[in-house]
Amino acid sequence: MRFDMHIHSSHSRDGTALPSVILRRCKHLGLSGIAITDHNSIEGSYEARSLAKSEGVLVVSGLEVSTSEGHVLAYGVRELIPRGLSAAETIDKVREVGGLAVAAHPRRFPSGVGLDMAERAGFDAIEVLNGGSSRSANRAALRLAEKLSLPKTGGSDAHRLGEVGRSYTLLEGVFTEDQALDAMKKGLSKT
């Protein structure tokens, strides 16, 4: 089952597509699930979750948090995580609300946390396949995840509709958000 775990909607300052349009596109592409991860906004995730059942696409709630050190993907959260905290503080906040904290495109500058921070901060997983990052940046993230024995995620980092689904996470036997989060936490996700 293919899950695009990094999509921006019109609720992101730089996203263009409505969540409803993204869901229809995902269904058309044969994606089983998605995460709307708007920049410092949970509204697109809420909207997508309310429409998911009718579109037949599983939605994992989330957002992309701008920390003082780079971007962190927060999955499984139902509330806004404050921006501007350190990466470690953000990870703590995500965990406090039962979420999963992932280093987003760690080698992309200036928005990634960098490989050193990704190694030190104690993330739950690392995004190793990002549709907006170079192959070498994705390979470096993969090497780090393997070195740290951390789970891996992938997503398109789509900001426009045509970018949706260009990179994704493989999760097998997942039919609910909790199952998807559990599979990622256990390192059962593949890219």
Side-chain angles (χ1 to χ4, degrees), residues 40 50 58 76 86 148:
N40 307 301
S50 72
L58 177 61
S86 71
L148 299 174

Side-chain angles (χ1 to χ4, degrees), residues 138-150:
N138 284 332
R139 280 194 303 270
L142 176 60
R143 284 192 301 273
L144 179 61
E146 289 173 344
K147 173 184 172 184
L148 299 174
S149 299
L150 283 176

Side-chain angles (χ1 to χ4, degrees):
M1 301 171 78
R2 296 180 303 147
F3 285 68
D4 188 336
M5 296 299 295
H6 192 160
I7 300 174
H8 298 279
S9 78
S10 55
H11 292 276
S12 229
R13 60 176 162 64
D14 53 359
T16 59
L18 295 169
S20 59
V21 175
I22 292 169
L23 285 168
R24 283 193 295 277
R25 173 77 174 157
C26 290
K27 188 173 183 175
H28 173 75
L29 293 172
L31 292 172
S32 300
I34 64 167
I36 300 285
T37 54
D38 289 321
H39 294 287
N40 307 301
S41 172
I42 196 94
E43 306 310 320
S45 183
Y46 287 152
E47 188 175 329
R49 284 179 53 80
S50 72
L51 300 168
K53 192 170 187 175
S54 65
E55 293 296 335
V57 176
L58 177 61
V59 174
V60 174
S61 58
L63 72 150
E64 186 171 8
V65 183
S66 297
T67 76
S68 61
E69 296 156 320
H71 292 173
V72 173
L73 291 165
Y75 297 132
V77 298
R78 300 275 197 283
E79 59 189 75
L80 191 62
I81 305 297
R83 67 185 301 170
L85 302 174
S86 71
E89 291 169 320
T90 301
I91 292 167
D92 288 343
K93 292 279 186 195
V94 171
R95 288 183 181 146
E96 282 173 19
V97 297
L100 182 72
V102 178
H105 44 70
R107 193 163 167 230
R108 186 187 310 160
F109 294 101
S111 61
V113 293
L115 295 174
D116 290 339
M117 178 60 66
E119 184 170 359
R120 293 191 325 264
F123 284 97
D124 297 311
I126 296 179
E127 184 181 50
V128 301
L129 183 60
N130 178 284
S133 293
S134 68
R135 286 185 186 153
S136 65
N138 284 332
R139 280 194 303 270
L142 176 60
R143 284 192 301 273
L144 179 61
E146 289 173 344
K147 173 184 172 184
L148 299 174
S149 299
L150 283 176
K152 303 164 195 74
T153 69
S156 64
D157 200 357
H159 290 77
R160 289 168 209 49
L161 193 60
E163 299 167 346
V164 171
R166 66 182 172 182
S167 298
Y168 49 83
T169 301
L170 296 172
L171 296 167
E172 295 304 322
V174 170
F175 303 100
T176 67
E177 179 182 29
D178 287 341
Q179 289 173 343
L181 292 168
D182 191 51
M184 286 188 287
K185 285 178 188 176
K186 290 178 177 174
L188 301 177
S189 55
K190 297 177 183 170
T191 55

